[in-house]
């Protein structure tokens, strides 16, 4: 069902985030994300030759996480093809610090400690969440039943559908079901 018809308006900004999961020939997985921002109007910017033209990428940022079936990150590659300042591209290599970390509970908190704020790039950090969910969506259906049972606690109380007192949990994981609402 689409959103209701909006009020009259004019587009000023367009952000696209696209993530894709790939199985590599060596058995590892590449999870790739790209974020682009464009404006519908020219933006003054001395770093970019005086201005960034409307429709030209204001940001064009990509990241690849190479992971194994246990979500351990083996390699991180980042590219900043367009940004408001030339120095932006220089931070991409810092994200190699994520190599050896594991996507799972607490991972985004860990990434903020390693590459958050002035230690990293806001936009590359923004890509981490959709990359993580893309990794999970890519690999989770392929996990065997025992692995899924072992990790089922990670999904419990992650949203209203997977709340410990929901009908879905009652059907899929009856041993985890409780009629009491989760603690706030």
């Amino acid at each position: 069902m689409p959103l209701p018809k909006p009020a009259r308006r004019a587009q000023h900004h367009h952000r696209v985030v696209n993530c894709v999961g790939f199985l590599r020939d060596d058995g590892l997985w590449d999870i790739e994300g790209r974020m682009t921002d464009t404006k519908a109007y020219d933006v003054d910017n001395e770093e970019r030759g005086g201005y960034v033209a409307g429709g030209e990428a204001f940001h064009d940022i990509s990241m690849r996480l190479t992971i194994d079936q246990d979500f351990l990150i083996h390699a991180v590659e980042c590219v900043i093809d367009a940004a408001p300042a030339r120095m932006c591209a220089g931070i991409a290599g810092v994200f190699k610090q994520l190599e050896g970390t594991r996507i799972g509970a607490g991972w985004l908190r860990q990434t903020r400690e390693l590459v958050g704020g002035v230690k990293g790039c806001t936009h590359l950090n923004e890509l981490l969440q959709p990359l993580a969910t893309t990794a999970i969506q890519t690999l989770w259906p392929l996990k065997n039943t025992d692995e899924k049972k072992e990790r089922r606690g990670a999904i419990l109380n992650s949203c209203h559908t997977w709340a410990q007192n929901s009908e879905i949990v009652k059907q899929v994981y009856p041993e985890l079901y409780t009629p009491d609402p989760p603690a706030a």
Side-chain angles (χ1 to χ4, degrees):
M1 170 186 240
L3 290 170
K5 185 175 181 173
R8 290 180 184 264
R9 60 193 187 174
Q11 180 176 316
H12 279 244
H13 182 81
H14 186 193
R15 171 169 282 181
V16 176
V17 176
N18 186 39
C19 297
V20 184
F22 299 92
L23 175 59
R24 295 167 29 144
D25 289 346
D26 62 4
L28 294 175
W29 298 84
D30 281 340
I31 310 299
E32 293 184 1
R34 182 177 180 196
M35 174 191 295
T36 58
D37 285 319
T38 55
K39 307 288 185 194
Y41 51 88
D42 296 349
V43 176
D44 290 339
N45 186 306
E46 291 305 316
E47 293 264 327
R48 300 267 300 266
Y51 71 100
V52 177
E56 179 183 349
F58 196 76
H59 293 108
D60 188 350
I61 297 171
S62 300
M63 183 182 293
R64 177 185 301 129
L65 303 178
T66 300
I67 64 174
D68 62 27
Q69 75 251 4
D70 294 319
F71 301 97
L72 179 70
I73 298 175
H74 291 255
V76 177
E77 297 169 283
C78 303
V79 176
I80 300 176
D81 288 319
R86 285 186 292 272
M87 71 181 289
C88 291
I91 200 70
V94 168
F95 285 79
K96 289 231 172 252
Q97 292 180 68
L98 301 179
E99 293 173 358
T101 65
R102 187 179 310 278
I103 297 170
W107 182 70
L108 289 173
R109 189 174 326 106
Q110 182 182 16
T111 66
R112 284 190 299 274
E113 291 169 8
L114 293 171
V115 294
V118 298
K119 295 184 271 185
C121 164
T122 299
H123 299 89
L124 285 169
N125 280 318
E126 287 176 11
L127 266 178
L128 293 173
Q129 182 152 359
L131 283 167
T133 55
T134 300
I136 292 164
Q137 290 292 326
T138 300
L139 275 72
W140 187 258
L142 304 173
K143 295 286 188 185
N144 68 42
T145 304
D146 290 337
E147 285 178 294
K148 285 180 181 177
K149 282 183 180 176
E150 187 179 307
R151 295 181 183 200
R152 65 186 177 235
I155 199 169
L156 189 67
N157 294 322
S158 63
C159 71
H160 79 278
T161 298
W162 291 104
Q164 66 196 34
N165 65 338
S166 79
E167 288 302 311
I168 293 292
V169 170
K170 188 176 185 178
Q171 292 170 15
V172 178
Y173 298 124
E175 69 281 8
L176 297 178
Y177 174 80
T178 175
D180 300 324

